[in-house]
Amino acid sequence: MIAPEPTQYQMVFCDIDGTLLDSTHRISPGTRQKIQELDRIGIPFILVSARMPSAIFPLQRELGVKAPIVCYSGALILDERGEPIKTVGIDREKAVLIDDFVKREWKDVCCSAYCHRDWISDNIHDRWIMQEQSITASVPKEGKISDFVPQKGQVHKLLCMGEAGAIADLTHALQENFSGLSVYCSKDTYLEIMNEAASKSGAVKHLCEAYGIPMEATVSFGDNFNDIDMLLATGTCFAMGNAPPEVKRQVRNVTEDNDHEGVLAGLEQLNFAENRI
């Protein structure tokens, strides 16, 4: 690992699954203590995830910090009170077309939609939905997109879950048949679909401007392909030890894996500026 330069950092952006959380979906006590130390000296610790708000705020409360959160990989940013700061979605009509395409052509793939605080599935007893519910503790609503999203409304994310081979094939099919989308795998069985204008790096830039903090004074942590743009946008970054080799090759620093307090190990290497905000 290359030691980061002696910059005084002022903000931290951290992915959740596979990064902050270990493989049992827990935050280590040492990591939590370090994050609270940073909070006390005025360093915002921003949770950045493809998750919906109800699956992020409980973790933030567990950490005992107050800061904005980035949901749906940048499609929705909420402030400390849960009020929207920025929202970028897929128009309802287009989201319905994508949902219909997946369900018509890829019958073994589960497709569900997220709109602000709602998680929408036409079968809440699908094994993939139940698995995701057990991980995130979010509760889906049963029905169609049109049942919950107003005609002029937007969907923040479509999530397709299935076997790795089907997800890989679906990725290519969506890229060939639809434009204006960000389509990526958050793991080999999960495909995230959002507006191409939504990104974790865009959320980083927006919050840096809001706080008046230069991007070079920020640090980020992530473990997968959907984190790369965020990792490359911040002043320094750490890929987790459990990240795929392709992700590790693109970043400067590789820390320990998520089962060995990789976030804590990275934070301990950095200097932080006290009370800059």
Side-chain angles (χ1 to χ4, degrees):
M1 182 184 297
I2 302 172
E5 64 277 6
T7 301
Q8 284 198 310
Y9 293 95
Q10 300 176 46
M11 186 180 290
V12 182
F13 295 91
C14 188
D15 174 56
I16 293 176
D17 295 288
T19 302
L20 179 66
L21 302 183
D22 64 20
S23 57
T24 65
H25 310 295
R26 296 176 181 174
I27 303 170
S28 78
T31 302
R32 181 169 58 249
Q33 180 179 340
K34 180 64 177 180
I35 291 167
Q36 291 171 348
E37 289 174 5
L38 294 178
D39 184 66
R40 284 194 290 271
I41 65 170
I43 305 298
F45 190 90
I46 311 292
L47 296 177
V48 183
S49 177
R51 290 183 175 210
M52 65 189 299
S54 64
I56 301 177
F57 276 125
L59 295 172
Q60 190 182 60
R61 288 193 291 271
E62 179 183 343
L63 288 171
V65 301
K66 289 186 177 181
I69 62 170
V70 178
C71 317
Y72 308 126
S73 297
L76 178 65
I77 307 175
L78 301 178
D79 66 15
E80 299 92 322
R81 300 177 302 279
E83 296 300 320
I85 297 174
K86 181 182 180 182
T87 178
V88 181
I90 303 169
D91 290 342
R92 186 184 85 157
E93 182 180 352
K94 187 173 186 178
V96 169
L97 287 175
I98 297 167
D99 186 56
D100 288 345
F101 173 77
V102 174
K103 288 170 179 170
R104 183 178 66 249
E105 304 291 338
W106 307 85
K107 299 187 186 302
D108 293 331
V109 171
C110 171
C111 185
S112 60
Y114 294 82
C115 176
H116 201 70
R117 291 177 173 83
D118 290 336
W119 177 22
I120 307 159
S121 170
D122 58 8
N123 178 10
I124 61 173
H125 301 294
D126 182 282
R127 69 182 181 93
W128 290 101
I129 296 292
M130 295 176 72
Q131 173 184 283
E132 179 66 2
Q133 185 177 358
S134 71
I135 294 171
T136 64
S138 298
V139 179
K141 295 182 177 181
E142 191 163 75
K144 299 182 180 299
I145 292 172
S146 55
D147 296 333
F148 295 95
V149 182
Q151 192 167 6
K152 297 292 186 181
Q154 294 183 325
V155 168
H156 284 109
K157 183 181 78 168
L158 290 161
L159 173 63
C160 295
M161 298 177 284
E163 300 304 326
I167 290 297
D169 291 341
L170 176 57
T171 302
H172 297 303
L174 288 169
Q175 291 169 339
E176 290 174 359
N177 286 276
F178 295 94
S179 61
L181 298 176
S182 170
V183 181
Y184 62 82
C185 290
S186 52
K187 52 185 175 182
D188 61 1
T189 55
Y190 278 39
L191 185 66
E192 318 271 352
I193 307 164
M194 299 175 304
N195 187 312
E196 66 179 358
S199 67
K200 290 187 176 184
S201 59
V204 167
K205 181 178 180 181
H206 189 88
L207 288 171
C208 282
E209 290 174 352
Y211 277 92
I213 291 174
M215 291 181 70
E216 56 267 26
T218 64
V219 58
S220 60
F221 294 83
D223 76 303
N224 223 316
F225 296 102
N226 61 326
D227 297 314
I228 291 175
D229 68 305
M230 173 179 72
L231 294 172
L232 297 180
T234 53
T236 198
C237 63
F238 293 85
M240 302 298 290
N242 48 292
E246 296 89 341
V247 174
K248 293 177 182 178
R249 282 197 290 267
Q250 295 191 53
V251 302
R252 182 175 180 184
N253 304 302
V254 177
T255 185
E256 300 293 334
D257 65 38
N258 63 321
D259 283 330
H260 293 87
E261 299 186 308
V263 172
L264 175 60
L267 292 173
E268 294 285 8
Q269 297 181 51
L270 303 174
N271 297 313
F272 287 95
E274 186 169 350
N275 296 324
R276 289 293 183 92
I277 2 182

